Amino acid sequence: MSIEEAITPTRSEPLTAERAYELYWADLLGEEPVFYCIGQGCTAQLICACLEKPEQNLRIRPYFRSRRIDDHADTCEVVHATGEARNDKQPDVFEAERPADHFRAVPPVSGLAAIPPSPGTPPDQSPPTPGDPAAPRPRRVTAAATTRRPSHYYRLSSLVQKFLEHRRDDDLGEAQVAIGGETTTYEALFRNVFRQKVADLTGTRAVWWGAASLRATKEGGYYLKFSRPFRHGDDELRPTITLTAKDIDAYPVRKLLRARLDKLIAESGGYCVVFVWAKPWMPKDAEKPFVRFYANNLDHIDVRGPEILQELASTSRVKPGA
C-alpha cells in the first residue's frame, strides 16, 4: 500500500513523497535518507519509491511504502485505519509559487527522547535511542492521516504525472485541479498547441503541450521549439521557449533539471515533449509574427522524452481516422 506522509530525522515536518523527492534532488536530505511512519506509537521504516530516479525515467509519481506491514505498531492508524470516511473527490492543488522557506536547510536533530518499540519488535530491532542520527522526529498525528486529502504540487511535472494517470483511467473530464485561483478539469487545463488559432488564445493560460526540439545555448541555457504549430491566418507558427542560464542557476532543483535536459539532448538528439503552464505571447508590432511561451518560474515547465508520445497516442480519445 502507498502511504501519504513520512518523517525523516533531518526535517521538522511530515513530508509527502513529492516533497521528499524535491528535497533529495536539491541536496537537502543527504545521499541515503531514512523515512519513518507518522502513525501513533509507530517506528516502522518506510521506503520512498522512485526517489533516486531522474524524472525522465519516472512512469509513476514517487510514493512511500512499508518494508513490511508487520513493522507497524498496532496503534498505527496509517495502516490500521478505523472507520474514517475517505474523500476521493477533492481537487488536486497546484501552487503557482513555493513558500519562501520551502527549501530551507534544517540542522540535524539531537536530544530526542527514546521512542518505545512497536509491539512485537524483536530485541535486535529496537528503535533508535537518544542522540542516534537515525532517531525520528516527534510526529504529528491527526485523524486526517487516514483520510484521502487533495495533493498539493509546486512543480508542473507532478501535475503532468496526474494528467497521464487520468488519461489511462479515462476520467480527465471528471478529475479536478485547483490552479491559478480557479478550479477546472484536467481535460480543460491541458491543451495541445497543434493547429489552434493563436490569436484567440493569447489570454488563455493553460498547460500547453506538444512535441519539440531541445538544444543547449552557448550561454548555458536551453532553447525549445515546438514541432507542430499554432495557426495564425494563413501562417503556421511554432512556439518557442528559452530557459536562461541565470534562471536555471537560481532554481533550487537545477541539478535535476539540467540532468534531465542534458540526457534528452544526448539520448534523443533533443527530440522531446514539452509541457508549459503559460499564455501564448505574440508581439503586436513585429514585422513577422511569432509565438513564445515565457516560463520565468521553472516549476511551470516539464520536458519529457519522446517515448511519452506513444502513451499519449494510446490514451487519446481521438481515434485514427476520426
Side-chain angles (χ1 to χ4, degrees):
M1 63 176 292
S2 63
I3 295 175
E4 294 287 325
E5 292 181 324
I7 54 173
T8 186
T10 57
R11 309 293 298 187
S12 60
E13 76 221 270
L15 300 176
T16 64
E18 299 278 346
R19 180 149 165 75
Y21 183 84
E22 291 182 339
L23 293 172
Y24 174 79
W25 282 93
D27 295 326
L28 291 175
L29 287 186
E31 293 184 3
E32 297 182 358
V34 179
F35 302 99
Y36 294 91
C37 181
I38 65 171
Q40 180 66 43
C42 190
T43 59
Q45 191 168 338
L46 304 179
I47 295 170
C48 187
C50 306
L51 182 69
E52 298 179 1
K53 290 186 178 182
E55 276 181 324
Q56 68 266 26
N57 296 333
L58 289 179
R59 287 188 58 80
I60 58 174
R61 290 172 291 115
Y63 64 95
F64 291 116
R65 62 178 175 85
S66 304
R67 294 179 182 273
R68 298 183 311 168
I69 293 297
D70 291 345
D71 291 342
H72 291 266
D74 291 340
T75 56
C76 177
E77 75 286 4
V78 174
V79 297
H80 305 303
T82 55
E84 279 289 337
R86 294 176 66 85
N87 184 352
D88 292 322
K89 299 300 183 182
Q90 298 182 68
D92 294 318
V93 179
F94 183 81
E95 306 283 2
E97 299 290 340
R98 297 175 186 266
D101 61 349
H102 190 74
F103 284 106
R104 70 191 185 283
V106 176
V109 183
S110 62
L112 291 179
I115 298 177
S118 302
T121 302
D124 61 346
Q125 295 183 19
S126 58
T129 54
D132 185 337
R137 281 184 173 271
R139 55 206 71 214
R140 179 193 67 191
V141 179
T142 65
T146 57
T147 303
R148 179 80 172 184
R149 288 174 290 167
S151 299
H152 285 245
Y153 302 120
Y154 297 98
R155 291 178 306 125
L156 186 63
S157 57
S158 300
L159 211 62
V160 171
Q161 285 295 121
K162 292 296 294 284
F163 168 68
L164 296 173
E165 292 170 14
H166 287 302
R167 279 179 73 103
R168 294 173 205 145
D169 295 339
D170 196 22
D171 65 352
L172 287 171
E174 294 78 45
Q176 293 188 323
V177 56
I179 183 171
E182 298 181 355
T183 298
T184 185
T185 64
Y186 278 87
E187 183 174 55
L189 178 63
F190 282 75
R191 305 183 65 163
N192 195 312
V193 302
F194 184 48
R195 300 287 295 168
Q196 298 207 45
K197 295 181 180 179
V198 67
D200 298 337
L201 299 167
T202 54
T204 302
R205 185 182 296 276
V207 179
W208 296 98
W209 66 273
S213 60
L214 165 70
R215 63 175 175 83
T217 67
K218 295 179 180 179
E219 296 76 20
Y222 299 89
Y223 178 80
L224 291 141
K225 187 170 187 177
F226 282 76
S227 302
R228 289 187 163 185
F230 279 117
R231 284 189 297 158
H232 183 61
D234 294 331
D235 295 325
E236 293 188 337
L237 307 178
R238 292 190 293 165
T240 62
I241 303 172
T242 300
L243 308 180
T244 69
K246 180 180 178 181
D247 287 339
I248 293 172
D249 290 342
Y251 185 49
V253 201
R254 57 188 172 275
K255 177 181 174 182
L256 181 62
L257 178 62
R258 285 195 181 276
R260 181 187 355 160
L261 299 181
D262 290 342
K263 184 173 182 179
L264 286 170
I265 292 172
E267 294 187 355
S268 67
Y271 185 50
C272 61
V273 178
V274 60
F275 297 80
V276 60
W277 185 50
K279 297 177 181 179
W281 179 82
M282 293 183 67
K284 294 181 179 180
D285 302 319
E287 183 175 336
K288 187 175 181 180
F290 61 88
V291 183
R292 285 181 184 160
F293 290 115
Y294 286 98
N296 293 329
N297 185 339
L298 297 184
D299 282 332
H300 298 171
I301 186 169
D302 183 34
V303 185
R304 303 200 171 211
E307 64 277 359
I308 196 179
L309 289 171
Q310 183 176 354
E311 177 174 357
L312 288 166
S314 67
T315 56
S316 173
R317 293 184 179 182
V318 180
K319 305 303 179 185

